[in-house]
Amino acid sequence: MGCSHDCSSCGSDCSTKNAESMIKPLNDKSSVKKVIGVVSGKGGVGKSLVTAMLAVNMANRGYYAAVLDADITGPSIPKAFGVYERVEADDDIIIPARTVKGIDIMSTNLILENDSDPVVWRGPIIAGAVEQFWTECLWDNVDYMFVDMPPGTGDAPLTVFQSLPVDGIIIVTSPQDLVTMIVGKAVKMAQMMDVPILAIVENMSYFKCPDCGKEYEIFGASHVASAAKEFQIPYYAKLPIDPNFAACVDKGEIEFLDVSPLDKIADVIEKI
């Protein structure tokens, strides 16, 4: 009651103040206006695809977008953008890679000798790498940073929620029956960390026949509308099963993909 939201002048020992105190500051040369986490309760639902598409959507709108690939052991963002060169440091600060459309990206694959090398690290080291990507990279006047988070509720997602000033999250899921349980885990973690849930995206929602235009629900009936209602998530979107999505990612050409199916979600992000 009566909270001024100015933790610096407050003597209370509340959970909000404790969470604020754990946020890691950027280096003096960096500026990031908004941080959006992209999460999922399980792997294989297309979280990295959605992350990349949202970054491209905001870049297409004229914003300076960036992607921090926090999926340390399963990085896929560089391949989606066709970026393979290793990043370099200048005056003890890491220079992120830049894509064709000017999106800055940082990922484990950009510091390995070979992108096929495994990252066999324990949890604390993974968490430390996430923090370093945030604090030791040159994020130069970024309007929207998208954080591709690993699936689940382990060390790395917890580090993102506690160390980065996350303005909201997008939950990515698929149409299977277990969607409610999986989304529920992501929702509860976000609520525990007091992070707003902006929207939910159901990937592989349907397949549209190129000949007749009829839509087929290959993986079963969609549950995204009911899940959004149950968890009071205001916005949702559906992505189809589209071979062109996979082809663009495989070729490193995601920036030339039609990202308009996520326009409604991008509108939400733009209004934060």
Side-chain angles (χ1 to χ4, degrees):
M1 291 291 292
C3 177
S4 67
H5 302 288
D6 182 9
C7 295
S8 63
S9 61
C10 179
S12 298
D13 187 26
C14 66
S15 59
T16 299
K17 183 178 180 181
N18 290 336
E20 288 279 349
S21 66
M22 296 180 72
I23 298 296
K24 302 297 183 182
L26 287 168
N27 58 75
D28 293 339
K29 297 180 180 179
S30 294
S31 170
V32 177
K33 296 175 183 176
K34 297 296 177 183
V35 179
I36 309 298
V38 184
V39 309
S40 65
K42 64 184 294 294
V45 297
K47 171 180 49 60
S48 297
L49 171 69
V50 172
T51 302
M53 290 178 67
L54 286 172
V56 172
N57 199 307
M58 300 311 290
N60 289 346
R61 297 176 183 220
Y63 294 105
Y64 188 1
V67 178
L68 190 159
D69 190 353
D71 196 349
I72 301 297
T73 60
S76 55
I77 290 297
K79 181 174 177 59
F81 284 96
V83 176
Y84 302 101
E85 68 272 13
R86 296 180 67 191
V87 295
E88 298 181 354
D90 182 22
D91 293 332
D92 296 324
I93 194 167
I94 302 169
I95 310 300
R98 183 161 291 184
T99 70
V100 173
K101 290 193 175 183
I103 299 171
D104 280 356
I105 63 173
M106 185 60 198
S107 172
T108 313
N109 266 10
L110 301 178
I111 61 175
L112 299 175
E113 288 290 343
N114 303 293
D115 60 11
S116 59
D117 290 345
V119 179
V120 188
W121 296 347
R122 294 190 182 277
I125 299 177
I126 292 174
V130 173
E131 290 184 3
Q132 283 185 292
F133 286 177
W134 169 251
T135 61
E136 297 183 17
C137 286
L138 178 60
W139 302 113
D140 187 12
N141 199 29
V142 173
D143 292 312
Y144 294 97
M145 172 179 282
F146 295 90
V147 183
D148 184 11
M149 294 167 61
T153 54
D155 282 348
L158 184 59
T159 297
V160 172
F161 281 133
Q162 291 183 329
S163 302
L164 276 63
V166 181
D167 294 283
I169 64 167
I170 309 296
I171 298 176
V172 184
T173 186
S174 56
Q176 288 89 342
D177 283 337
L178 51 72
V179 64
T180 301
M181 179 188 72
I182 297 301
V183 171
K185 290 179 182 293
V187 168
K188 290 176 182 177
M189 184 176 189
Q191 291 172 340
M192 288 174 62
M193 306 307 297
D194 197 27
V195 175
I197 303 167
L198 304 177
I200 181 172
V201 176
E202 184 178 76
N203 189 30
M204 300 177 284
S205 185
Y206 60 91
F207 172 73
K208 187 173 183 179
C209 176
D211 296 324
C212 67
K214 185 176 179 180
E215 295 181 358
Y216 296 90
E217 295 178 321
I218 304 296
F219 293 113
S222 172
H223 295 83
V224 65
S226 58
K229 182 178 180 181
E230 177 177 349
F231 296 111
Q232 299 181 332
I233 301 173
Y235 300 96
Y236 66 86
K238 298 180 181 182
L239 289 179
I241 299 172
D242 188 341
N244 192 42
F245 287 0
C248 284
V249 170
D250 288 344
K251 295 177 182 178
E253 298 178 350
I254 197 154
E255 289 175 287
F256 306 101
L257 182 68
D258 176 16
V259 296
S260 62
L262 291 179
D263 277 351
K264 184 166 67 173
I265 307 301
D267 290 342
V268 175
I269 294 170
E270 192 173 29
K271 293 176 183 176
I272 294 176

